[in-house]
Amino acid sequence: MNSYVEAVFGLRPGMRRALIMVQDVVMVLVAVALSLVLSRSNLSFDPLSNQGLATWAGIVVISHFLFRYCGLYTTVWRFASTPDFFNILKSCAILTVTLYATSMLVRSFQPVQGLNERQFIVFFLVSFTVISAPRLFYRFLRDGASWGILSRKTDKTQAKRALFVGRLGEADLIIRFTRTADPADYAIAGIMATERGVPLGTRIQGVPVVATRPRLIDVLEDYTTGTKSLDLLIFGSGAEREIEEYSELVRVARHGDITVVQFSGLSELEKQGKLVLDAVEMETILRRPTVPSDVERIGAFVGGKRVLVTGGAGSIGRTLVKRSLELGAEAVLVADNSEFGIFQLSQYIDEKHHDRLKVRIVDVADRRQITRVVTEFRPDIVFHAAALKHVPLLEENWDSAIQTNVFGTLVCAEVAARCGVAQFVMISSDKAVDPSSVLGVTKRAAEQIVSALHGTPASEPGGRRSVTKFVAVRFGNVFGSNGSVATIFQAQIEAGGPVTITDRRMTRYFMTVAEAVDLVIMSAVDAASRQGGEDYAVYMLDMGKPVPILEVAETMIRMAGKSPYTDIPIRFTGIRPGEKLHETLHGEDEELVEIGISKIFGLSTDVVEWSDVQAALTDLQQSVKNQDKAAALAVLAGLDRAKKAKGSIHQDAIPKTAGQTT
């Protein structure tokens, strides 16, 4: 039996279908014979006579074409379900009625003894049974709940024992596919049901429901501390949004050295099917549902283009680089001043993309270097991600912040305009809204440079006509970026604590790097599509609701299998210079505008004239040269006020105390 079934499994689809067709007509003939025997009928003609053989041949032809018409040979029986077996029932009923009508027609001009309605009723029941049975047996074998699985018992000892947490529908799917795998990687030992009202002990394909809400945590602790060995905890898709105890379940599992994964779908169905199980990361715990990217639009925008990414060795920059290569950019050039960062980038990018990746070690504020890079590379799109972003450090190193964040943006934007780059996209920050730090005022100034150039597309700084479309994209923290709270907390947890938080009330907006990058590209797509009428110099990403930093720390500690305050202490250090308790994504004078793209808004805001921006930057350059921090911050603060008042921004009009609030 084993060799026969394996031989059938190995046949080509066409050969297997032909075998099933032959099997069906044989089963129909068997059903005819059994119905006559079971009903004790004596036909008035010899079954092996010419008349008898012609009758059997007619039944074979009628049944074959009727089964083909009813679609019995278009079903993949490994995935057969109730509707498919109902189709067999319907086909057998039609065949029975057809044969009965034919016999009535024949008996009208040639009497046939031994046939009545009783034989046809028995035929219907028998035919459905004998035609369904081989298919059901095939499905039984392929699902693994059979001798096929038992024959692999030695392999099953290597399978990881798992608990599934989620809905029963997904449990049924996962159990089926874990049994299908050869060799078997996982064995579902129990189901922790998230639906209300599911009785304990309910079995799905023989696997019991071992826990229901609200006792999920208690039961999992029994598994981790008792004698029941467990290797894996599998969450159903969307469980992080449905289960309030999600992060605590992760903590309990990891504390017991149980690997935690999440079901996200199926792949390779044509090769027996495989589960796609993703590692549970902090982005999942944040419970912020991501929006599927419009890959077609961003791919059409980037595909075949030459892309320059300043700051391409940073967290956002390198993801922009990787995504541009994946979307089919003709070439991507990274401009960054970090030699080690560029080396790490080369390790991050797949080798298959290396031939389209170019790197230059440059300072974005060096006009000569940037001009040479842009002139030689001739980019179609510039993503300006280069910036210094550490709030407390920049309070002390204010001149470096101004040089990179303000004059670096100015240089890159002006060079892009002079060289006719089609699109210039600057990465901004929520720190630019009502800024209270050096980082905030420098990013605000960078936004104003881009906004002013966006408002005067007809002529660029040298007086020549420019075709460059300038936009800035503003958003909050990206989770897991270099220097973010996630990386800091992770290092502190690994060191045994304490985890340090400035204030228990502090909140921040968070987004995954991958989602932020796709939305940045999508913002550029929208900007490029607006040829006239209302367009926007600044776009804002919808970051969802702000997340308490304390909650992030506590959750990360739990995810590491530890208990906050007990295993890992949390210490509050007080707000540092330049920090806010709560960030905002837009100012009171800025209006959010729906642009028809999910998670992206246009910002309707006043723009400072380019001539006024130039005047302020001249004063700012002098203040930096004189190492006068107060004067430099006063210029930047005045530039922000000038935007709101649309007035002059010359140094003599700015109160001497304007920049002292950092």
Side-chain angles (χ1 to χ4, degrees), residues 292-370:
S293 301
D294 191 340
V295 178
E296 184 176 349
R297 289 188 68 184
I298 63 177
F301 177 73
V302 174
K305 305 286 181 59
R306 300 176 68 82
V307 179
L308 168 62
V309 182
T310 69
S315 304
I316 297 173
R318 73 165 175 243
T319 308
L320 274 166
V321 170
K322 182 180 181 181
R323 191 59 167 150
S324 298
L325 290 168
E326 291 172 345
L327 292 171
E330 178 187 325
V332 177
L333 187 145
V334 175
D336 202 290
N337 65 352
S338 171
E339 178 188 15
F340 182 63
I342 289 177
F343 169 75
Q344 287 183 310
L345 173 69
S346 66
Q347 309 300 307
Y348 177 73
I349 301 299
D350 291 342
E351 288 187 9
K352 63 182 179 181
H353 297 314
H354 278 189
D355 59 331
R356 292 183 287 133
L357 177 66
K358 305 178 185 301
V359 297
R360 296 289 185 274
I361 300 176
V362 298
D363 179 359
V364 291
D366 188 321
R367 190 178 297 271
R368 180 184 59 81
Q369 288 184 330
I370 292 298

Side-chain angles (χ1 to χ4, degrees), residues 457-476:
S459 59
E460 49 86 18
R464 293 171 293 180
R465 189 170 185 83
S466 172
V467 296
T468 307
K469 174 81 75 168
F470 291 93
V471 293
V473 183
R474 184 193 297 169
F475 53 95

Side-chain angles (χ1 to χ4, degrees), residues 269-556:
L269 290 180
E270 73 281 1
K271 298 179 181 179
Q272 294 188 334
K274 285 188 178 181
L275 297 175
V276 179
L277 301 176
D278 298 329
V280 172
E281 302 294 351
M282 187 61 196
E283 292 91 336
T284 307
I285 298 295
L286 289 175
R287 302 184 184 183
R288 183 186 181 280
T290 58
V291 177
S293 301
D294 191 340
V295 178
E296 184 176 349
R297 289 188 68 184
I298 63 177
F301 177 73
V302 174
K305 305 286 181 59
R306 300 176 68 82
V307 179
L308 168 62
V309 182
T310 69
S315 304
I316 297 173
R318 73 165 175 243
T319 308
L320 274 166
V321 170
K322 182 180 181 181
R323 191 59 167 150
S324 298
L325 290 168
E326 291 172 345
L327 292 171
E330 178 187 325
V332 177
L333 187 145
V334 175
D336 202 290
N337 65 352
S338 171
E339 178 188 15
F340 182 63
I342 289 177
F343 169 75
Q344 287 183 310
L345 173 69
S346 66
Q347 309 300 307
Y348 177 73
I349 301 299
D350 291 342
E351 288 187 9
K352 63 182 179 181
H353 297 314
H354 278 189
D355 59 331
R356 292 183 287 133
L357 177 66
K358 305 178 185 301
V359 297
R360 296 289 185 274
I361 300 176
V362 298
D363 179 359
V364 291
D366 188 321
R367 190 178 297 271
R368 180 184 59 81
Q369 288 184 330
I370 292 298
T371 300
R372 187 181 74 250
V373 166
V374 174
T375 302
E376 292 176 357
F377 184 65
R378 294 175 289 104
D380 302 294
I381 307 167
V382 172
F383 290 110
H384 180 55
L388 300 179
K389 295 174 288 187
H390 194 281
V391 173
L393 281 178
L394 296 189
E395 294 301 307
E396 292 295 327
N397 299 276
W398 61 272
D399 50 346
S400 296
I402 291 173
Q403 193 67 20
T404 299
N405 296 356
V406 179
F407 291 110
T409 300
L410 175 68
V411 167
C412 291
E414 287 185 334
V415 171
R418 288 196 175 96
C419 295
V421 176
Q423 196 92 359
F424 183 93
V425 184
M426 189 201 84
I427 306 300
S428 189
S429 166
D430 56 359
K431 306 293 189 297
V433 182
D434 298 326
S436 63
S437 62
V438 170
L439 171 59
V441 294
T442 55
K443 293 301 284 185
R444 180 64 140 183
E447 274 191 7
Q448 290 160 344
I449 290 170
V450 171
S451 298
L453 289 173
H454 174 91
T456 57
S459 59
E460 49 86 18
R464 293 171 293 180
R465 189 170 185 83
S466 172
V467 296
T468 307
K469 174 81 75 168
F470 291 93
V471 293
V473 183
R474 184 193 297 169
F475 53 95
N477 296 31
V478 289
F479 206 88
S481 62
N482 296 337
S484 72
V485 292
T487 56
I488 295 171
F489 288 168
Q490 187 64 41
Q492 292 174 338
I493 292 169
E494 290 174 356
V499 170
T500 57
I501 299 175
T502 54
D503 192 291
R504 66 173 60 248
R505 299 167 296 170
M506 183 171 285
T507 63
R508 288 294 182 266
Y509 291 97
F510 286 103
M511 177 179 281
T512 65
V513 180
E515 184 184 12
V517 163
D518 276 12
L519 291 176
V520 165
I521 299 174
M522 197 66 211
S523 300
V525 172
D526 183 78
S529 66
R530 295 177 182 269
Q531 301 300 325
E534 186 174 20
D535 60 356
Y536 308 98
V538 181
Y539 287 83
M540 190 199 85
L541 305 187
D542 181 0
M543 302 287 293
K545 295 181 179 180
V547 179
I549 297 296
L550 178 59
E551 180 182 324
V552 173
E554 290 174 341
T555 304
M556 288 191 68

Side-chain angles (χ1 to χ4, degrees), residues 20-38:
I20 293 172
M21 291 177 181
V22 172
Q23 171 188 280
D24 282 348
V25 296
V26 170
M27 289 301 177
V28 168
L29 294 177
V30 169
V32 170
L34 284 175
S35 64
L36 293 174
V37 171
L38 293 173

